[in-house]
Amino acid sequence: MAEKKSKKEKKSTRALAVVPATQLEAEDLRVLESAKRRMENIGWAMEGLNQLGNKIDKQVSRLSEGQQKQLQQISYTVLQRVVQSNLKTMDPNKAKPASLNTAYQAMASLSGAIGGAFGFVAFAADMALTTKLMMRSIMDIARSEGEDLRELDTQLACLQVFALGGKSKHDDSLDTGYYALRMSIRSALRGVANPLAKAIGQVAGRFSVQVTEKFAAQAVPVIGAVGGAAINTAFMTHFQNMAEAHFAVRRLERKYGLEAVEAAYHAIGDVAKQ
């Protein structure tokens, strides 16, 4: 009995020891817990269509090396264009910024319907428009969390969202841990003359995994226009979720400091395992 009590006391001590280290208020800790769940427990970018998983795997395996390179190039090209094009039409000083997630989903759905109906010929155009809408939505979410779109750091943070693809069997070689990913991108940008261009190159490799899965899903014969619209909606929703989690974490970092929030982020999982 005494041994059981001792173990219980030790467990309680370990759990409570985390609280002073994090220095987060209860409400902010709940926000961080929600953000971590969204970023680390979400699966494939179109998780709502998991029943097509095996068919999509077969489609991915059938892609030729040339097609895979084309999809990688599409990923890089669209990311290269979307930041500056959206900045030109968004007001960074908007008094009461608001996220328009539903409107962006509807527009992406329409683009997906067209892409699904016409196959690979329309895929590049569909991907360009969908990615532009996703970046606009990401920037809108960033702005609603108090970010300044004119800041290079914010623009880089918006790009990082496209690397937050969740766990996928097609990106097993990539480190998908949230802070590990941010650190790897940050390290790659040190001393670089054009950090935005470098970041695009870093993110495009990860984003192309989701682009390949999207293309493979739309290539399944039963999908067609209706399925293309559904896939785009799921694709948009996924990255909106990633953006909301990512910029909520960044808001907390501005309040408490990066080290305190990162420690709290990792401690959430530690306490759960005790």
Side-chain angles (χ1 to χ4, degrees):
M1 181 75 176
E3 185 182 351
K4 287 184 179 178
K5 184 176 180 182
S6 175
K7 285 182 179 179
K8 186 176 180 181
E9 286 174 352
K10 286 180 182 179
K11 179 179 178 181
S12 175
T13 303
R14 286 199 303 269
L16 290 173
V18 174
V19 178
T22 65
Q23 301 177 345
L24 268 66
E25 296 171 8
E27 179 59 31
D28 289 335
L29 190 55
R30 282 193 288 272
V31 170
L32 188 63
E33 288 170 345
S34 174
K36 182 167 184 175
R37 271 198 310 274
R38 284 173 125 176
M39 286 188 288
E40 298 202 343
N41 294 336
I42 196 162
W44 168 54
M46 294 166 278
E47 63 172 351
L49 302 172
N50 268 344
Q51 64 270 30
L52 294 174
N54 290 334
K55 292 181 180 178
I56 290 165
D57 290 343
K58 288 178 183 176
Q59 292 288 353
V60 170
S61 65
R62 289 173 184 165
L63 292 176
S64 67
E65 187 176 339
Q67 284 178 311
Q68 291 181 36
K69 286 183 178 179
Q70 275 185 289
L71 291 169
Q72 289 170 359
Q73 186 58 46
I74 287 171
S75 305
Y76 180 83
T77 303
V78 295
L79 288 178
Q80 194 175 36
R81 294 172 181 169
V82 292
V83 179
Q84 294 302 325
S85 63
N86 280 318
L87 283 173
K88 290 176 182 177
T89 56
M90 293 187 76
D91 181 6
N93 298 313
K94 193 171 182 179
K96 293 182 179 179
S99 176
L100 301 171
N101 287 359
T102 304
Y104 292 124
Q105 288 168 14
M107 288 185 278
S109 176
L110 178 60
S111 176
I114 297 170
F118 293 98
F120 193 83
V121 176
F123 183 78
D126 167 36
M127 200 63 240
L129 178 56
T130 301
T131 308
K132 180 179 173 64
L133 291 170
M134 285 193 294
M135 178 57 90
R136 192 171 185 85
S137 182
I138 289 166
M139 287 180 163
D140 191 49
I141 291 166
R143 188 172 56 180
S144 72
E145 288 284 0
E147 301 272 357
D148 186 346
L149 298 180
R150 293 166 298 193
E151 295 286 337
L152 177 61
D153 182 58
T154 299
Q155 295 167 23
L156 292 173
C158 288
L159 273 171
Q160 285 176 8
V161 174
F162 288 100
L164 300 173
K167 296 178 176 68
S168 166
K169 66 173 63 180
H170 304 126
D171 65 355
D172 285 345
S173 62
L174 302 176
D175 187 348
T176 53
Y178 174 62
Y179 274 101
L181 168 65
R182 287 178 60 181
M183 183 180 295
S184 81
I185 293 177
R186 193 162 55 240
S187 298
L189 301 183
R190 286 199 188 107
V192 174
N194 190 341
L196 201 57
K198 179 68 173 179
I200 290 169
Q202 290 286 307
V203 170
R206 294 172 182 265
F207 182 51
S208 66
V209 174
Q210 280 69 50
V211 171
T212 300
E213 288 180 339
K214 180 181 185 302
F215 172 74
Q218 291 182 205
V220 174
V222 297
I223 293 295
V226 175
I231 289 169
N232 265 22
T233 301
F235 209 63
M236 173 70 79
T237 302
H238 168 78
F239 284 105
Q240 286 173 336
N241 284 334
M242 294 296 97
E244 286 172 351
H246 179 46
F247 288 107
V249 171
R250 281 174 57 89
R251 173 170 55 78
L252 295 178
E253 288 173 352
R254 291 195 295 275
K255 182 176 180 179
Y256 296 100
L258 188 148
E259 289 185 4
V261 176
E262 183 176 358
Y265 184 96
H266 293 305
I268 291 167
D270 293 341
V271 173
K273 292 173 185 176
Q274 289 173 358

